[in-house]
Structures are given as structure tokens and as C-alpha cells.
Amino acid sequence: MIDNFDVNKIRNDFPELSRTVHEKPLIYLDNAASTLKCAPVIEALNQHYSNEAANIHRGVHYLSEMGTVKYEATRTSIQKFINAENDYQVIFTKGTTESLNLVASSYGRKFLKAGDQILLSTLEHHSNIVPWQMVAEEVGAKVIEIPVNDLGEIDQAAYKSLLNDKVAIVATNHISNSLGTINPIKDMIKLAHEVGAIYVVDAAQSISHEKIDVQDLDCDFLAFSSHKMFGPTGVGVLYGKEDLLNKMPPYQGGGDMIDVVTFEKTTYNDLPHKFEAGTPHIAGVIALKAAIDYLEEIGLDKIKAWENELLIYATEKLSKIEGLTIIGTSKEKTSVISFTIDGAHPHDIGTLLDRQGIAVRTGHHCTQPLMKRFNIPATTRASFSVYNTKEEVDALVAGIIKTKEFL
């Protein structure tokens, strides 16, 4: 039993969990796609739009200055949350996808050259594949796949064999969104640096499950999204090492990212503003601090422990269902279970579970190369968060059995 952990108290902080779907209590098991929003986040959004709505950074009036202070407080909060050396190494974006595109576009276009190699694992989300393919095609670099084994783990021997002085970038996720595999990125980063490559970490799935220390990892870039850590949609973060960020050209042009603009020449602002053109999602960034405060109040260690307990419980229960195969059985794994059922299409399974009030995700999960690796078109994915319960796991199991009987 986890000390001082009350899942029912936590559930009360998420208003959506009190609703019904198809006249059934909502059982939300689609957390790898997006988490529900806690009351402090909702309150922070409402407070801004009701009482504090104004643009930031360039205003001298009260509302603008107050918004600027709150907005920048979130940056400082993130700096501490991931242990970045400076707050200006925290860049706000629209999400993990834009953060990865920013690195591929700004760093990749400037520093990649013909013949360079970019290593990506089979586990990657499309947002950590396609941007690299785009820039590789443009500059004449080559994208090379790091294979995974039958457990859904990155093949570390294969990874080591692929590393050479032509490798300029390695980009992998910390945790797989499809399988829940936790990758040994600290060791992988060290190996990449030994051949002179930079390492980009997609932390979208790990940010609310694992304590991340960017200085300890020594990653060059790290990207994550607010909406997968109880925060608003439309807000993301890119962390980068200061020397790399300073060498990179701006990703977009517009207001706030400039120093002086003339028709002859424009000079650019300092970090972090150089990469934050235009009016941002002010309310979303402010509310993200409420999400971080909430995560820290519970404690990432307790969150990880409870989610791991749910994972073990659910794996044991689901493994007993005849015809059900769990895809991805890594030794190191977080609370994501993807599965197939003999003779049943994942979309049919998801639809019938939905009629029972159970929200799961079906499809290829934006990981088509991974589906091809396992020779399947899609899976059904149940992903658990800190507010889920063993009773909900039991309901999922019962729902799958009922669905099997119907099909």
C-alpha cells in the first residue's frame, strides 16, 4: 500500500470523472492520448479569461504586467520541474509536435549536411519521424531506423552498432506512447555523445510519470506537452542546451522574437523570446503551472508507484482472457497496455467498450512503423493515470469479455 495516497480524493479533483457516457459512469482509459484536467487547472483558465485577459510582455498597464508575471512564473516552474540550468532554456510551443519540428527545422536545416545520419527508433511517434524525414530530404541526410525486439524494447546492441561519426542526431522517445516501453535514454545519450551526435528526447509520455532531470540525463533537447500532464491543450515545451539554442536561427518570424526591425535588416531577441513569435496561449501557459503544482503536490514517486500497481494488476487480469495478446511486454514499462483479440478488429472493440462507458484508444497510435514491426494493422490501447482504480480495470476486463461474446 502506498503511504498517504487516496485515489478517491484525487478523483474528486477531476470533474469529468463524475459524468456518464451512454448512461454509464465514465471510465477514462485514454490517458496516453490526453489526460483529464484537474480543478486547479480549470480554475486557472477561468480566472485568466474572467478577470485577467490581456496580452503580455509589451504592455505597461496592470493586466498586461500581471499576466506577464504569471506567464513567466510558469517558465520558472518548468525550469525547476525538469532541473534546467536557466529558465530561458525553456521555450513555449504549441505542443510536443511543434517542439520537435522546431528542432528539426531550426537546428537541422542549419547544422545537418549531406551524408549525415539521423537515428530514430521503430517506437517513435510520427511527430518524431516525419520532421526528420523532411529536413533529411532537404539537406541530403539519411534517416536510419533503430530496431526493436519482440518485447518492444529498443535493441541496444543494434543501436551501438549503428553509432559512428556520420551520426549527427539521435531522436527517441523516453516512453513509448503505443507500448509503454521505458527506454534507457541516459545510457543511450552517453553513447550518442561519444560519437559527437546530439540527442533529442520526446518526453510527451514520460513527463507526468517519471521524474526528469535534464542535467542528469545530459540530453541536448527535450520536448513535452501540457495536455498529457493534466494541463491545457495547445501548450508545449522545448528545453534545449543554451549553446545550441543560441546558435539556432528563429523558427518563425513575428512579434516578440525581434530586437530591431528595419527593411534593411532585422536583429533577433534573446532566449527564450527568439523562438516565441506572436501572441502565445497565455491562459494555457499560466494554467500549466497549476498542473505542475498539482503533480508535485501528489508526488511523482507516488504517481509512478500507483500507476505501476495498476499496470501489474491489469496485465495479470487481461492476460487471462482467451484470445487476447498484449503487444509490448518490456521489462521496464509504464501504465500502457496495447492488445489485440483474435478475430476482432480494434475499432469494433473500442466502439463496443464505449457503449459500456469505457474510453480506450484504437488504431495505429501514430506509430505505423511499429505496427508493421509486429505485423498488425492496429491495437486497442488502455492507458492508466493516477486517478484510475482497480475497480475500473475490473470493469475493462468485464467489458472486453462482454465484447468478445458479442463479436
Side-chain angles (χ1 to χ4, degrees):
M1 196 69 184
I2 305 167
D3 293 336
N4 301 318
F5 181 81
D6 185 349
V7 69
N8 290 318
K9 181 177 181 295
I10 291 169
R11 288 176 66 83
N12 288 334
D13 293 330
F14 292 84
E16 208 163 346
L17 289 173
S18 64
R19 68 158 296 163
T20 58
V21 173
H22 303 305
E23 300 180 348
K24 307 279 185 174
L26 171 64
I27 296 175
Y28 187 80
L29 303 178
D30 192 22
N31 296 285
S34 194
T35 55
L36 301 180
K37 312 309 167 196
C38 57
V41 166
I42 297 168
E43 289 165 9
L45 288 168
N46 186 56
Q47 169 66 15
H48 177 80
Y49 285 128
S50 298
N51 299 298
E52 301 167 1
N55 215 326
I56 58 169
H57 287 152
R58 297 180 293 277
V60 295
H61 60 83
Y62 176 79
L63 291 177
S64 178
E65 290 183 340
M66 183 170 59
T68 300
V69 168
K70 287 191 172 185
Y71 185 91
E72 293 302 328
T74 301
R75 199 187 307 274
T76 302
S77 180
I78 293 167
Q79 174 202 352
K80 295 174 181 175
F81 190 65
I82 63 174
N83 193 34
E85 192 172 0
N86 304 291
D87 64 356
Y88 52 77
Q89 293 172 269
V90 174
I91 312 298
F92 289 123
T93 66
K94 291 187 296 186
T96 305
T97 298
E98 187 177 46
S99 294
L100 294 169
N101 272 275
L102 192 163
V103 179
S105 179
S106 183
Y107 180 90
R109 283 197 175 97
K110 179 163 184 176
F111 293 105
L112 283 173
K113 59 186 184 300
D116 281 348
Q117 296 177 356
I118 304 165
L119 301 187
L120 312 174
S121 84
T122 312
L123 288 172
E124 300 315 306
H125 190 281
H126 296 165
S127 62
N128 201 28
I129 298 175
V130 180
W132 300 113
Q133 290 176 325
M134 293 167 69
V135 73
E137 183 177 355
E138 186 176 321
V139 304
K142 185 177 181 182
V143 172
I144 296 176
E145 180 181 1
I146 312 168
V148 302
N149 61 25
D150 291 341
L151 301 179
E153 301 165 332
I154 293 176
D155 185 329
Q156 293 300 312
Y159 172 58
K160 291 174 186 176
S161 72
L162 289 170
L163 289 169
N164 60 71
D165 59 8
K166 291 184 179 179
V167 176
I169 295 171
V170 181
T172 72
N173 53 44
H174 186 185
I175 293 178
S176 164
N177 71 299
S178 276
L179 307 184
T181 304
I182 303 174
N183 295 313
I185 56 169
K186 185 174 180 179
D187 293 338
M188 294 179 71
I189 291 166
K190 184 175 185 294
L191 290 168
H193 287 166
E194 287 175 1
V195 298
I198 69 156
Y199 205 106
V200 183
V201 178
D202 171 1
Q205 291 300 325
S206 58
I207 192 66
S208 65
H209 301 280
E210 299 269 327
K211 182 61 182 172
I212 291 176
D213 184 329
V214 292
Q215 293 190 70
D216 180 60
L217 289 174
D218 197 27
C219 58
D220 298 285
F221 296 99
L222 182 131
F224 60 90
S225 297
S226 161
H227 74 96
K228 300 200 183 200
M229 53 191 300
F230 313 139
T233 56
V235 177
V237 170
L238 174 67
Y239 156 83
K241 286 185 175 176
E242 182 176 359
D243 61 328
L244 298 178
L245 291 172
N246 278 326
K247 292 174 185 175
M248 290 159 54
Y251 176 53
Q252 296 176 321
D256 218 27
M257 52 74 65
I258 54 87
D259 177 25
V260 176
V261 175
T262 69
F263 277 104
E264 290 71 37
K265 182 176 176 59
T266 292
T267 55
Y268 306 126
N269 207 339
D270 296 328
L271 295 175
H273 308 294
K274 180 173 76 169
F275 294 107
E276 296 181 1
T279 298
H281 186 358
I282 300 166
V285 168
I286 290 171
L288 174 55
K289 184 179 185 301
I292 292 170
D293 291 345
Y294 186 80
L295 283 165
E296 292 186 318
E297 183 181 343
I298 299 172
L300 281 168
D301 53 341
K302 290 181 181 177
I303 292 172
K304 182 177 179 178
W306 177 245
E307 290 174 345
N308 191 56
E309 199 170 313
L310 289 174
L311 174 66
I312 293 168
Y313 184 78
T315 301
E316 181 185 352
K317 294 283 187 178
L318 291 170
S319 297
K320 293 177 181 177
I321 299 176
E322 187 177 349
L324 186 149
T325 301
I326 295 175
I327 309 297
T329 53
S330 170
K331 301 179 198 71
E332 295 294 327
K333 185 175 174 178
T334 195
S335 50
V336 173
I337 301 179
S338 281
F339 60 90
T340 59
I341 295 176
D342 294 345
H345 194 284
H347 292 327
D348 294 333
I349 297 167
T351 299
L352 291 170
L353 287 174
D354 175 62
R355 300 303 299 183
Q356 300 171 67
I358 303 168
V360 295
R361 178 70 48 164
T362 62
H364 54 64
H365 316 299
C366 290
T367 56
Q368 286 180 313
L370 185 61
M371 297 297 110
K372 183 179 178 182
R373 162 64 178 82
F374 284 96
N375 197 31
I376 52 177
T379 69
T380 304
R381 183 185 70 190
S383 50
F384 309 96
S385 187
V386 67
Y387 42 66
N388 291 124
T389 67
K390 291 180 180 178
E391 290 77 15
E392 289 181 319
V393 173
D394 293 337
L396 171 66
V397 172
I400 292 171
I401 292 171
K402 185 176 179 181
T403 296
K404 274 189 65 189
E405 292 170 352
F406 182 85
L407 293 172

